[in-house]
Amino acid sequence: MHIDPFDAKIVSALARDGRVATVDLAPRVGLSASACSRRLARLEAEGVIKGYKAVVDGAAVGLGITAFVEISLDRQNDEALRAFEAAARKCPNILSCFLMSGASDYLLRIAARDLSDFERLHATVLGRLPHVARIESKFALREAIDRPLVPIP
């Protein structure tokens, strides 16, 4: 899909404030409310805008630990990948899961209450996911940058 300058302005504005009403968004991007609404509907229908989310502060809700976990599987065939991903989807503490190139097969971002909670997750969830051969964990000390999207050309 071609993203023109108006589309790029719409997407950028929504990435900064997903709650903005179309009537308020339209003048920000230089369109009428009806034209903005049509473009927004098209961007959603074509999957450019996948959805809207509230950004929740983990520490404020008792999830003060962010861990990045590299997982290596015992095999990398389709059955093993599907089984691992299906099981990982069932764990609400796994916030994101990426199939990777390189030494590890997956990179997970995990939220936990504290180190004891992470240890429990490691032993009772991560270590029991199908086909896991190796787990390597790293803990975030603080978040330095969190951008809502990749800059649109």
Side-chain angles (χ1 to χ4, degrees):
M1 164 181 189
H2 173 71
I3 302 290
D4 69 16
F6 288 112
D7 293 336
K9 286 180 186 178
I10 291 169
V11 172
S12 294
L14 287 172
R16 285 188 300 278
D17 180 7
R19 295 180 62 162
V20 65
T22 306
V23 68
D24 297 322
L25 176 62
R28 290 186 198 176
V29 300
L31 293 171
S32 69
S34 60
C36 185
S37 181
R38 283 191 303 274
R39 283 176 176 265
L40 183 55
R42 180 179 50 78
L43 290 165
E44 291 170 348
E46 293 181 1
V48 173
I49 297 173
K50 292 173 30 175
Y52 301 88
K53 299 176 184 178
V55 178
V56 178
D57 182 331
V61 296
L63 296 168
I65 297 287
T66 299
F68 294 90
V69 177
E70 295 179 23
I71 302 280
S72 296
L73 303 183
D74 58 6
R75 61 182 79 91
Q76 291 78 30
N77 61 32
D78 285 341
E79 181 275 324
L81 298 176
R82 279 195 299 274
F84 174 84
E85 291 171 14
R89 276 188 206 93
K90 294 177 184 175
C91 178
N93 293 78
I94 298 175
L95 304 179
S96 55
C97 175
F98 296 91
L99 179 62
M100 303 295 290
S101 64
S104 299
D105 296 307
Y106 286 95
L107 178 64
L108 283 56
R109 182 171 54 99
I110 295 177
R113 288 188 303 273
D114 51 31
L115 287 175
S116 295
D117 187 39
F118 180 80
E119 181 181 11
R120 178 194 60 78
L121 288 167
H122 189 283
T124 64
V125 177
L126 301 177
R128 295 181 182 173
L129 291 171
H131 302 288
V132 170
R134 186 182 64 82
I135 301 172
E136 183 177 332
S137 305
K138 296 171 175 61
F139 295 94
L141 300 177
R142 69 180 163 90
E143 185 174 67
I145 298 172
D146 179 28
R147 292 190 178 111
L149 76 151
V150 174
I152 299 172

